[in-house]
Amino acid sequence: MAVRLGDDAPNFDADTTEGPINFYSWKGTAWAVLFSHPRDFTPVCTTELGALAGLKREFDMRNTKVIGLSVDAMSDHRRWKDDIKDVTGHALNFPLIADPERRVSMLYDMIHPNASETFTVRSVFVIGPDNKVKLMLTYPASTGRNFQELLRVVDSLQLTVSHAVATPADWRQGEDVIIVPAVSDDDARRRFPGFVAKKPYLRVTAQPADTILESAATSHENVPKVRR
Amino acid sequence: MKTRLVLALSAMSIVAAGCEFDHLGRPVNRQRFVMGIRGEGRIVYAASGKNGEQSGECALPECRTTVDFDTVIVLTPFAGDHYRFKWWDGLPASNLTCYGDVPNDDGTIKVNVAYRDSACIAVFEAIGGSGTTVPGAR
């Protein structure tokens, strides 16, 4: 049965490049990104894992653990690590699950038979501290993922679970956010002084200061803010 | 009855290698797979994929093939007289690696060809290490 938003993320035991793990024990109370790639020693996947390794510090700053998966054997994972570093300059710094029996792949519905009956597609699951699935992404084999986008959605998820706000289209760390409709105007004036109502249902306010994260991935970005 | 061949042995030049994708991102191209031998011996192969099965032998330095996406090929090495199977090698000069599972005790290896090209060359070495030996000779 397919995993859906809000579901408990299935727990599993697996062999990884950093040793055997129980997913829940490994994850603990952190956030987690569980993602699959189609195959080791392939071009797009090599760039993806290198890109993610380069952003590992950013995920650490967000209390978010990262773990990859493919149906390749552990011996392939271990040999492939050298290529990833060679090509991208980033050594693999997170565990990779070897799932040749496709147990975890099937558990998370990462094999889409009309794309490939054997290999995982590019799935991403963001799992919260409560072990619930917070976000899912699915890309085909031909399209490498944007891991800055993954950081962006983690920022949004972490912001919106702790404050009564949502994030608009293309929102980025530090930009204005939307006050959720469940908050009355009176309550909004108290909690978000100075908010701007563009429409009765669209009220914009600054991102709560205690949630603004200054990091290498965001502090040098010069993107236009949502106009208030 | 065998359906469409999944593996086409060909003496012609290899078709464009690598994996391409259709408009839905599904891999549509076939991959390049090279098998071959070094020394004296032969490989028996059995290939199976979505479109059928094919089996045969290769006793040449290189048997070049094109293979449907996600074809599984089982390769068994048979050493010639006075030779023994040593290991599986790739074709480094062509940047091709033997992406097979760990071989069985008899050297049989399983290769799943998908998303990437591959080459598996059976290396046979002369028993005794100094060329062919003649039984009974001293």
Side-chain angles (χ1 to χ4, degrees):
Chain A
M1 184 171 166
V3 175
R4 292 179 174 166
L5 295 185
D7 289 357
D8 286 327
N11 193 21
F12 56 84
D13 295 314
D15 289 328
T16 81
T17 48
E18 298 182 4
I21 64 157
N22 171 270
F23 181 60
Y24 278 9
S25 299
W26 170 83
K27 177 183 164 297
T29 56
W31 290 71
V33 171
L34 168 65
F35 73 100
S36 59
H37 66 273
R39 195 139 211 215
D40 296 355
F41 298 104
T42 55
V44 177
C45 303
T46 302
T47 63
E48 281 195 324
L49 270 74
L52 190 48
L55 289 173
K56 171 68 161 37
R57 188 171 152 269
E58 294 292 333
F59 285 96
D60 290 344
M61 290 172 66
R62 290 158 173 82
N63 189 32
T64 302
K65 295 184 173 181
V66 174
I67 189 165
L69 174 150
S70 78
V71 300
D72 293 283
M74 185 65 70
S75 55
D76 279 351
H77 281 350
R78 293 204 168 111
R79 285 188 295 129
W80 187 39
K81 285 168 71 173
D82 293 339
D83 286 2
I84 293 168
K85 183 174 184 191
D86 186 35
V87 169
T88 69
H90 298 295
L92 198 64
N93 49 13
F94 51 83
L96 261 188
I97 297 167
D99 190 34
E101 306 296 327
R102 298 169 175 79
R103 286 185 299 110
V104 181
S105 308
M106 300 302 283
L107 206 55
Y108 277 83
D109 203 26
M110 292 167 164
I111 294 178
H112 296 202
N114 286 327
S116 166
E117 292 179 353
T118 309
F119 301 98
T120 47
V121 293
R122 301 186 194 281
S123 295
V124 181
F125 296 86
V126 179
I127 298 158
D130 56 358
N131 292 334
K132 303 274 189 197
V133 175
K134 305 296 185 186
L135 180 134
M136 297 159 56
L137 292 170
T138 306
Y139 280 45
S142 55
T143 304
R145 286 159 286 199
N146 182 331
F147 291 99
Q148 295 281 353
E149 165 65 1
L150 205 47
L151 279 176
R152 190 189 76 85
V153 296
V154 167
D155 282 344
S156 173
L157 291 167
Q158 294 183 343
L159 166 66
T160 56
V161 294
S162 59
H163 293 77
V165 297
T167 57
D170 302 328
W171 173 85
R172 298 185 70 126
Q173 180 69 239
E175 295 179 358
D176 290 352
V177 297
I178 294 168
I179 301 167
V180 296
V183 177
S184 69
D185 279 351
D186 285 345
D187 197 15
R189 274 188 280 275
R190 183 177 57 80
R191 295 167 68 178
F192 306 104
F195 77 84
V196 172
K198 291 171 168 283
K199 294 287 180 187
Y201 56 84
L202 176 51
R203 298 164 299 174
V204 177
T205 188
Q207 178 178 344
D210 63 324
T211 65
I212 295 176
L213 184 65
E214 281 297 326
S215 66
T218 57
S219 60
H220 301 298
E221 300 287 341
N222 184 22
V223 292
K225 288 180 177 292
V226 173
R227 287 181 182 275
R228 295 178 62 187
Chain B
M1 178 180 165
K2 289 178 182 174
T3 54
R4 203 181 97 199
L5 297 182
V6 293
L7 186 150
L9 283 174
S10 170
M12 295 183 296
S13 60
I14 295 167
V15 298
C19 193
E20 294 174 358
F21 303 92
D22 68 10
H23 70 290
L24 295 176
R26 295 176 297 202
V28 293
N29 202 3
R30 307 202 313 165
Q31 272 73 54
R32 175 167 58 150
F33 180 70
V34 182
M35 55 187 147
I37 62 164
R38 299 285 181 273
E40 295 292 328
R42 63 193 168 93
I43 298 169
V44 171
Y45 67 84
S48 62
K50 270 184 214 175
N51 295 313
E53 300 177 353
Q54 183 182 339
S55 57
E57 289 190 7
C58 170
L60 299 171
E62 289 184 17
C63 299
R64 298 183 172 206
T65 71
T66 54
V67 180
D68 281 349
F69 175 78
D70 197 9
T71 292
V72 174
I73 307 173
V74 176
L75 303 167
T76 304
F78 290 93
D81 289 347
H82 316 302
Y83 277 78
R84 66 182 163 210
F85 173 72
K86 191 175 180 186
W87 62 42
W88 291 101
D89 205 353
L91 271 180
S94 301
N95 289 319
L96 294 174
T97 302
C98 183
Y99 293 114
D101 293 346
V102 176
N104 294 342
D105 290 343
D106 67 354
T108 297
I109 195 171
K110 185 170 81 174
V111 184
N112 187 330
V113 185
Y115 291 114
R116 61 197 185 197
D117 300 333
S118 189
C120 291
I121 306 298
V123 178
F124 300 104
E125 64 176 356
I127 296 172
S130 57
T132 304
T133 58
V134 179
R138 292 180 186 270

